[in-house]
C-alpha cells in the first residue's frame, strides 16, 4: 500500500482503470460462462430425456414379449451418439433386460430406480431413468448415461474466448487510459511544476495555464487567485522592505553625520576646555603660570618641603617705574617689555622652579628644594643682573629694574598665604630702600603690606574726598551702528599717585570690605547718570555695572540694587549686572539664588570675561544669565591665530545653543570687527569704537551720532 502511494498519479490512474475494467470483464465472463454452462447442461439433460423417452416408448412391446433382439435394436441408434456412454432396459423386478455400452468403455450400470426420473448430474457424467409404461402400468425402466465432454469442451472454449477478450480489452484499456488519464494528470502536473518553481525561485508572477470548468479548472483558477494574492502581498512586502532599507540607510547616514558633528563638537569642546584650562592657569600676555597655578604649586611644594624637611623660597618681584613706561609709550610697548622680561626671568631659574605673573608688573618666583637661604638671594641678584641689559622695543632702548622681596620656608612662615604676604612686604621694603634691590623678609617688616595699607588708607578717604569717578564705555550695535548701552567703569584719581587702575585697587577694596560702600556709590552714580541721559532723550540706553564677589556674597545686595534703581527712577529692564565667572563660582548656590531674585525684577545678568575663569559649561547652564561677554584675550589674536578663532567660534556656538546674547569686548581693530560681524555677533565694545570716557563725552557722542549708520570709530 505504501508503495502504491509513492507511484505517480498517472500510474495510479492507469492501475485503477485496469483493475476496474479487468474486474468488470471477469465478472461479466463468469456470469456468461455460468449461464452458458447451465444452458448446455440443461440442453444435454433434455437431449438425454428425449432419447430415454424414445427408448422407453419403443421398448415396451419388446419388454412385454421378452424380445431382447428388438430391444437391442432399439438401443442400436445410440452407437451414433458419441456422448452416450451406456444405456439399459430393466425389467420390473430390476433385472437387466438389455444394455448398451459405448465401445471401449466398461461402465457399471446402476441399480434401476423406478422412483426418480430426474436427470442426475455426476462429476463427469449425467444419467437418467425413464419408466417404461404400458397402458398406464409401469413394466420396466430405461436407463441412459452420457459423458459431460461436450459441456466441458464448451467451457474450455469459452474460457479461451474470455482470455482473449480480457487481454484485448486490457491492452485497449491500457492504451486508452494512458491517453485519457492525461486529461486529469496534465493540469495536476502543471500545477505541481509551477508550485515547485515558485517555491524554488520565489517568483510569484508565475501562473498555471488551463482554466476548464471542472474541479481541476476550478483548482487552477483558485490556485492562480491565491498566487495573485501572494504576489500582491509580496510586492507590498518588497515595497515595505525597500522603504525600510531606504529609511535605515537614511538614518544611518544621519547618524553618521550627527556622529561626525558630535566628534567635531567634542574636539572643539576639548580644545575650548584645554584653552580654558590653560587660561585659568596662565597669564595671557606672557604665557607664564598665573596666581592660581602658582598657589597650587606653592601648596604642593610646601607639603613636600614639610615631609622632606627641605627649604623653599618665594621671590616677589615688582618692576620699578614700569607704569611710567606704560603710560608714556603705550600698552603695546609695555606688553612687549613684559614678554621680554618674562623670558629673562625664566632663563635665570631651574627647570623645576616656577616663574608666575601675578598681573601688571608683578611676578613671583617659587624656588623649591633650596639648600640654604642664600640660594634665593643668589637667584635674586642673578635676576637683577639679567635686567641690566636694556630691552629694545620699537626703536626704544628701555632700561628696567626690579625690586625683589624674599620669604623662606620654614623661617618666615609655614603657610602659603603668609609666605606670599611676607615676600610682598619685603619687596616693598626693597622699593623703600631705593629699588633694584633684593631684600630678605625680617620679622620687623610684619606690620603688613605697606602697599596694601597705603592703598587701603587712601581708598577709604577717596570716597569721602570725591576722588572716585565713573567712566563709561559704549556698547555698539554694529548692525545699526548705534549705541545700545554703556558700561560703568570705576576710576580713581589720586592727587599725588595719579590715576590708579581698577585692576590694582579693586582687589584692595574687596579685601578690606571697602568694595561695599564703593559698590553702592557706583550703583547710585551710574543709575542717576542713566536717568540724566534718559531725560535727555536717550531713553533706550542701558547701563551695565560690574559687581565684585564681595558684593555678591553680601546679603541684601538685591535690595541695594533695587534701591539705587528706584532712587534714580530707572526701570530694572534698563540695567545690566556684570559678574565674573569666579564671582559666581565662589558659592554657586547662593549666587544662583541671588541672581535669580535680581533677574526676576527684570535686570539682565551678564557673564563678564567669559573663558578666563574656572567655570565649566555646566556652571554656565545653572546660572540664570542672559548675556555672555567673550573675554578680550580671545579677541586679541583674531583673525590671525587659529586656536583663538576656534575658541571664539565654540563660545559663539555655545551661546547660540543656550539662547544667550553675546557681547564681544576688546574690539581694537576693523579686522576683529569684521570677523565677529561675519560670525553673526552684533553687540561689541572696545577701543575701536570708544575707550571708557567721562559722562559728558558720552552725551556728546550720543548727540552727534543719533542717526543710525553714522557711528564712527573713536580714538
Ligand atoms: P571689565 O568689566 O571686563 O571691563 C573691561 C575692561 O577692559 C576695562 O578696563 C576697559 O577699559 C578695558 N577695555 C575696554 N575695551 C578695550 C579694548 O578694546 N582693548 C583693551 N586692551 N582693553 C579694553 P578697566 O576700566 O581697567 O577695568 C578693569 C576691570 O576692573 C573691569 O573689567 C572690571 O572687572 C573691574 N571694574 C571696573 N569698574 C568696576 C566697578 O565699578 N566695580 C567692580 N566690582 N569692578 C570694576
Ligand atoms: Mg565688565
Ligand atoms: Mg570684561
Amino acid at each position: 500500500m505504501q508503495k502504491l502511494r509513492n507511484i505517480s498519479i498517472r500510474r495510479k490512474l492507469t492501475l485503477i482503470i485496469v483493475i476496474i475494467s479487468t474486474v468488470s470483464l471477469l465478472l461479466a465472463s463468469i456470469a456468461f460462462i455460468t449461464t452458458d454452462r447451465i444452458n448446455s447442461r440443461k440442453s444435454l439433460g433434455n437431449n438425454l430425456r428425449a432419447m430415454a423417452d424414445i427408448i422407453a416408448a419403443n421398448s415396451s412391446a419388446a419388454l412385454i414379449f421378452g424380445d431382447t433382439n428388438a430391444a437391442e435394436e432399439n438401443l442400436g441408434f445410440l452407437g451414433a451418439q458419441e456422448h452416450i456412454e451406456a444405456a439399459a432396459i430393466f425389467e420390473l423386478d430390476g433385472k437387466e433386460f438389455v444394455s448398451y455400452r459405448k465401445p471401449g468403455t466398461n461402465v457399471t450400470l446402476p441399480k434401476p430406480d423406478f422412483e426418480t426420473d430426474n436427470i442426475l448430474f455426476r462429476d463427469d457424467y449425467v444419467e437418467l431413468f425413464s419408466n417404461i409404461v404400458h397402458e398406464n402400468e409401469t413394466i420396466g425402466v430405461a436407463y441412459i448415461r452420457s459423458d459431460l465432454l461436450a459441456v466441458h469442451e464448451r467451457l474450455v472454449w469459452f474460457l479461451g474466448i474470455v482470455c482473449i477478450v480480457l487481454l484485448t480489452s486490457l491492452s485497449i484499456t491500457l492504451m486508452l487510459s494512458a491517453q485519457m488519464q492525461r486529461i486529469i494528470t496534465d493540469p495536476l502536473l502543471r500545477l505541481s511544476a509551477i508550485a515547485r518553481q515558485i517555491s524554488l525561485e520565489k517568483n510569484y508572477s508565475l501562473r498555471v495555464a488551463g482554466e476548464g470548468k471542472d474541479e481541476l479548472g476550478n483548482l487552477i483558477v483558485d490556485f492562480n487567485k491565491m498566487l495573485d494574492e501572494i504576489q500582491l502581498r509580496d510586492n507590498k512586502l518588497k515595497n515595505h522592505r525597500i522603504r525600510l532599507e531606504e529609511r535605515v540607510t537614511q538614518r544611518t547616514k544621519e547618524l553618521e553625520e550627527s556622529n561626525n558633528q558630535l566628534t567635531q563638537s567634542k574636539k572643539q569642546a576639548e580644545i575650548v576646555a584645554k584653552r580654558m584650562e590653560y587660561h585659568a592657569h596662565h597669564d595671557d600676555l606672557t604665557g607664564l603660570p598665573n596666581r592660581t597655578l602658582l598657589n597650587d604649586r606653592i601648596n604642593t611644594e610646601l607639603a613636600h618641603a614639610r615631609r622632606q624637611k627641605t627649604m623653599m623660597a618665594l621671590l616677589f618681584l615688582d618692576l620699578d617705574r614700569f607704569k611710567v613706561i606704560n603710560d608714556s609709550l603705550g600698552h603695546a610697548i609695555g606688553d612687549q617689555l613684559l614678554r621680554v622680561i618674562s623670558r629673562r626671568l625664566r632663563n635665570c631659574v631651574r627647570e623645576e622652579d616656577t616663574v608666575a605673573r601675578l598681573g601688571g608688573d608683578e611676578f613671583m618666583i617659587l624656588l623649591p628644594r633650596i639648600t640654604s637661604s642664600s640660594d634665593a638671594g643668589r637667584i635674586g641678584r642673578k635676576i637683577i643682573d639679567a635686567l641690566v641689559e636694556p630691552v629694545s622695543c620699537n626703536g626704544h632702548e628701555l632700561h628696567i629694574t626690579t625690586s625683589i622681596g624674599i620669604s623662606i620656608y620654614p623661617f618666615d612662615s609655614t603657610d602659603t598665604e603668609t609666605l606670599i604676604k611676607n615676600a610682598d612686604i619685603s619687596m616693598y621694603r626693597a622699593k623703600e630702600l631705593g629699588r633694584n634691590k633684593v631684600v630678605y623678609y625680617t620679622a620687623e617688616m610684619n606690620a603688613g603690606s605697606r602697599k596694601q595699607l597705603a592703598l587701603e588708607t587712601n581708598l577709604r578717604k577717596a570716597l569721602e574726598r570725591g576722588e572716585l569717578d565713573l567712566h563709561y564705555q559704549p556698547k555698539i550695535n554694529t548692525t545699526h551702528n548705534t549705541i545700545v548701552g554703556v558700561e560703568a567703569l570705576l576710576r580713581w584719581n589720586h592727587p599725588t599717585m595719579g590715576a590708579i587702575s581698577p585692576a590694582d585697587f579693586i582687589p584692595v577694596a574687596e579685601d578690606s570690605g571697602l568694595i561695599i560702600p564703593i559698590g553702592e556709590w557706583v550703583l547710585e552714580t551710574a543709575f542717576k547718570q542713566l536717568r540724566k541721559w534718559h531725560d535727555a532723550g536717550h531713553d533706550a540706553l542701558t547701563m551695565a555695572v560690574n559687581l565684585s564677589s564681595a558684593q555678591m556674597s553680601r546679603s541684601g545686595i538685591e535690595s541695594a540694587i533695587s534701591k539705587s534703581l528706584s532712587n534714580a527712577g530707572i526701570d530694572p529692564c534698563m540695567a545690566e549686572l556684570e559678574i565674573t565667572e569666579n564671582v559666581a563660582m565662589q558659592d554657586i548656590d547662593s549666587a544662583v539664588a541671588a541672581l535669580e531674585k535680581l533677574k526676576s525684577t527684570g535686570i539682565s545678568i551678564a557673564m563678564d570675561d567669559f573663558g578666563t575663569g574656572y567655570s565649566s559649561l555646566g556652571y554656565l547652564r545653572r546660572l540664570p544669565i542672559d548675556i555672555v561677554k567673550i573675554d578680550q584675550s580671545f579677541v586679541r589674536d583674531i583673525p590671525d591665530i587659529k586656536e583663538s578663532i576656534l575658541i571664539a567660534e565654540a563660545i559663539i556656538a555655545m551661546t547660540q545653543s543656550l539662547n544667550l546674547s553675546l557681547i564681544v569686548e576688546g574690539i581694537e581693530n576693523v579686522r576683529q570687527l569684521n570677523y565677529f560681524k561675519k560670525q553673526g555677533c552684533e553687540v561689541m565694545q572696545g577701543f575701536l569704537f570708544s575707550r571708557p570716557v567721562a559722562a559728558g563725552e558720552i552725551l556728546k557722542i550720543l548727540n552727534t551720532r543719533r542717526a543710525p549708520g553714522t557711528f564712527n570709530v573713536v580714538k
Side-chain angles (χ1 to χ4, degrees):
M1 209 52 170
Q2 187 63 36
K3 273 188 185 166
L4 264 181
R5 264 188 211 140
N6 292 341
I7 62 171
S8 72
I9 193 157
R10 279 191 170 175
R11 296 231 164 107
K12 267 185 207 146
L13 273 173
T14 311
L15 201 67
I16 290 166
I17 293 167
V18 167
I19 289 170
I20 291 171
S21 51
T22 310
V23 168
S24 38
L25 262 174
L26 275 174
L27 286 176
S29 304
I30 289 166
F32 179 68
I33 289 170
T34 312
T35 317
D36 184 74
R37 198 172 158 75
I38 291 167
N39 285 340
S40 56
R41 280 165 67 125
K42 210 174 176 180
S43 85
L44 183 65
N46 289 342
N47 174 263
L48 272 188
R49 178 163 298 285
M51 278 197 267
D53 287 350
I54 292 169
I55 292 170
N58 292 342
S59 305
S60 58
L63 198 61
I64 291 169
F65 296 108
D67 186 356
T68 51
N69 288 335
E72 275 175 0
E73 218 173 288
N74 196 15
L75 294 179
F77 79 98
L78 293 173
Q81 304 294 319
E82 267 199 23
H83 61 286
I84 301 296
E85 286 182 336
I89 295 168
F90 294 96
E91 288 171 77
L92 201 59
D93 55 3
K95 220 167 101 192
E96 185 184 303
F97 181 60
V98 282
S99 63
Y100 163 80
R101 281 182 182 78
K102 192 178 170 180
T105 60
N106 190 20
V107 176
T108 313
L109 295 175
K111 276 191 178 169
D113 183 353
F114 294 92
E115 301 303 318
T116 314
D117 66 346
N118 286 343
I119 303 162
L120 300 168
F121 281 93
R122 308 294 176 190
D123 282 347
D124 52 353
Y125 64 94
V126 59
E127 58 187 5
L128 139 80
F129 290 92
S130 179
N131 288 345
I132 305 168
V133 181
H134 181 72
E135 292 178 354
N136 290 332
E137 206 173 309
T138 304
I139 54 168
V141 68
Y143 168 76
I144 191 158
R145 165 176 161 158
S146 166
D147 61 22
L148 288 172
L149 217 61
V151 176
H152 287 157
E153 273 173 2
R154 196 174 167 85
L155 178 66
V156 171
W157 189 79
F158 268 114
L159 281 174
I161 296 282
V162 163
C163 283
I164 291 166
V165 169
L166 209 63
L167 285 174
T168 317
S169 70
L170 258 179
S171 33
I172 292 170
T173 308
L174 267 173
M175 257 163 52
L176 285 177
S177 69
Q179 290 305 312
M180 293 183 75
Q181 44 85 9
R182 296 186 65 164
I183 298 169
I184 295 169
T185 55
D186 274 4
L188 282 176
L189 289 176
R190 280 204 303 278
L191 250 171
S192 109
I194 293 288
R196 194 169 308 122
Q197 198 179 348
I198 288 170
S199 81
L200 283 177
E201 298 172 5
K202 307 278 178 256
N203 177 4
Y204 300 106
S205 60
L206 294 170
R207 293 294 176 273
V208 185
E211 296 186 353
K213 297 229 162 118
D214 58 356
E215 288 89 338
L216 277 173
N218 289 343
L219 180 66
I220 289 174
V221 170
D222 290 345
F223 185 76
N224 285 344
K225 270 187 193 160
M226 186 184 76
L227 284 179
D228 286 346
E229 189 69 21
I230 294 175
Q231 192 182 11
L232 205 78
R233 289 190 186 188
D234 188 52
N235 285 344
K236 270 188 192 165
L237 227 100
K238 270 185 196 150
N239 287 343
H240 274 137
R241 209 183 52 224
I242 290 169
R243 275 207 296 277
L244 208 84
E245 277 169 3
E246 279 172 3
R247 285 190 64 187
V248 168
T249 324
Q250 173 87 10
R251 282 299 291 154
T252 318
K253 223 168 123 193
E254 281 172 15
L255 270 167
E256 273 169 8
E257 271 169 23
S258 50
N259 225 4
N260 286 344
Q261 277 176 6
L262 234 130
T263 322
Q264 202 68 19
S265 328
K266 213 177 128 194
K267 268 189 197 154
Q268 282 197 359
E270 276 167 7
I271 292 171
V272 173
K274 259 193 197 160
R275 182 70 205 254
M276 284 181 172
E277 161 83 11
Y278 182 83
H279 272 276
H281 295 105
H282 291 84
D283 169 48
D284 290 327
L285 184 68
T286 59
L288 290 177
N290 62 10
R291 194 187 287 271
T292 317
L293 183 53
L294 176 75
N295 277 347
D296 279 357
R297 290 199 183 160
I298 295 175
N299 288 333
T300 316
E301 290 302 339
L302 211 55
H304 188 265
R306 270 189 213 116
R307 276 199 310 274
Q308 306 290 319
K309 308 228 175 314
T310 53
M311 289 163 71
M312 181 187 108
L314 278 185
L315 274 64
F316 202 115
L317 280 80
D318 189 289
L319 301 182
D320 301 323
R321 298 194 183 87
F322 175 76
K323 199 171 173 340
V324 179
I325 296 172
N326 214 23
D327 289 350
S328 54
L329 301 176
H331 286 284
I333 291 194
D335 288 353
Q336 223 174 316
L337 179 64
L338 285 171
R339 281 196 205 104
V340 175
I341 286 172
S342 305
R343 277 200 296 275
R344 289 193 188 174
L345 292 180
R346 265 250 55 103
N347 289 339
C348 292
V349 296
R350 301 166 297 177
E351 193 60 38
E352 67 261 38
D353 300 334
T354 301
V355 178
R357 182 175 172 230
L358 305 183
D361 55 357
E362 287 180 345
F363 296 87
M364 194 176 295
I365 298 174
L366 164 68
L367 305 174
R369 279 160 288 210
I370 50 168
T371 45
S372 75
S373 2
S374 60
D375 287 353
R378 199 170 36 77
I379 298 288
R381 275 187 299 280
K382 195 174 167 190
I383 289 169
I384 290 197
D385 292 345
L387 297 189
V388 169
E389 195 189 325
V391 180
S392 57
C393 288
N394 284 14
H396 300 279
E397 283 270 293
L398 303 175
H399 292 268
I400 191 95
T401 59
T402 182
S403 302
I404 305 173
I406 300 175
S407 64
I408 309 274
Y409 171 86
F411 309 126
D412 301 331
S413 175
T414 51
D415 68 273
T416 310
E417 216 173 299
T418 324
L419 272 174
I420 295 175
K421 196 183 84 195
N422 291 347
D424 190 11
I425 291 169
S426 42
M427 183 275 292
Y428 265 88
R429 184 71 186 134
K431 291 240 184 228
E432 274 174 5
L433 291 174
R435 298 189 175 95
N436 201 18
K437 297 242 165 357
V438 183
V439 171
Y440 281 99
Y441 173 77
T442 58
E444 295 82 65
M445 298 175 189
N446 67 358
S449 159
R450 287 181 173 218
K451 178 190 174 190
Q452 173 99 7
L453 262 178
L455 273 180
E456 204 180 304
T457 329
N458 282 302
L459 197 56
R460 213 171 281 282
K461 290 176 195 148
L463 200 54
E464 298 153 19
R465 290 182 187 157
E467 287 167 13
L468 294 182
D469 191 12
L470 281 184
H471 275 195
Y472 302 91
Q473 189 178 28
K475 283 190 268 180
I476 313 299
N477 179 316
T478 53
T479 312
H480 303 116
N481 280 330
T482 48
I483 301 176
V484 287
V486 293
E487 178 181 0
L489 292 160
L490 198 51
R491 295 289 176 265
W492 180 15
N493 287 302
H494 190 268
T496 52
M497 290 192 276
I500 301 171
S501 160
D504 286 333
F505 71 82
I506 283 188
V508 177
E510 281 178 342
D511 283 352
S512 59
L514 279 170
I515 194 73
I516 303 299
I518 293 176
E520 276 171 15
W521 176 85
V522 170
L523 287 165
E524 285 287 328
T525 317
F527 293 135
K528 276 189 182 141
Q529 182 57 56
L530 186 64
R531 173 78 272 144
K532 284 183 196 159
W533 286 325
H534 279 188
D535 291 344
H538 308 286
D539 49 9
L541 205 66
T542 60
M543 174 65 74
V545 177
N546 292 285
L547 281 190
S548 77
S549 52
Q551 283 172 283
M552 275 297 297
S553 52
R554 186 180 163 239
S555 62
I557 178 73
E558 306 93 314
S559 53
I561 293 167
S562 304
K563 201 175 125 209
S564 50
L565 279 169
S566 64
N567 282 349
I570 295 291
D571 184 341
C573 300
M574 307 312 281
E576 265 172 37
L577 297 176
E578 292 190 10
I579 55 160
T580 62
E581 289 172 78
N582 302 346
V583 169
M585 279 286 293
Q586 283 186 353
D587 181 356
I588 179 87
D589 293 323
S590 56
V592 169
L595 292 174
E596 254 160 11
K597 247 189 209 170
L598 288 167
K599 197 177 166 175
S600 68
T601 63
I603 298 174
S604 305
I605 314 288
M607 176 64 77
D608 206 355
D609 305 340
F610 182 74
T612 56
Y614 311 103
S615 78
S616 65
L617 301 187
Y619 275 106
L620 198 63
R621 231 179 252 257
R622 278 191 65 189
L623 291 169
I625 54 168
D626 310 278
I627 303 159
V628 163
K629 291 187 83 174
I630 184 167
D631 190 62
Q632 301 176 14
S633 56
F634 302 117
V635 179
R636 192 181 301 133
D637 303 325
I638 279 178
D640 300 318
I641 304 227
K642 204 171 160 236
E643 201 191 347
S644 294
I645 290 181
L646 268 176
I647 291 178
E649 279 174 9
I651 293 177
I652 292 166
M654 180 209 70
T655 51
Q656 279 166 357
S657 71
L658 292 177
N659 240 340
L660 301 172
S661 308
L662 184 78
I663 298 178
V664 188
E665 53 181 350
I667 295 282
E668 292 184 345
N669 58 50
V670 179
R671 289 171 72 217
Q672 292 165 342
L673 166 71
N674 288 341
Y675 170 80
F676 282 103
K677 266 183 127 174
K678 235 189 197 164
Q679 294 300 312
C681 305
E682 262 198 326
V683 182
M684 301 189 204
Q685 201 179 349
F687 292 171
L688 177 68
F689 310 105
S690 170
R691 281 174 180 270
V693 290
E697 286 297 311
I698 290 286
L699 193 64
K700 275 189 213 158
I701 300 170
L702 284 170
N703 286 336
T704 49
R705 299 184 177 111
R706 224 183 235 180
T710 55
F711 193 90
N712 292 319
V713 171
V714 179
K715 291 281 173 195

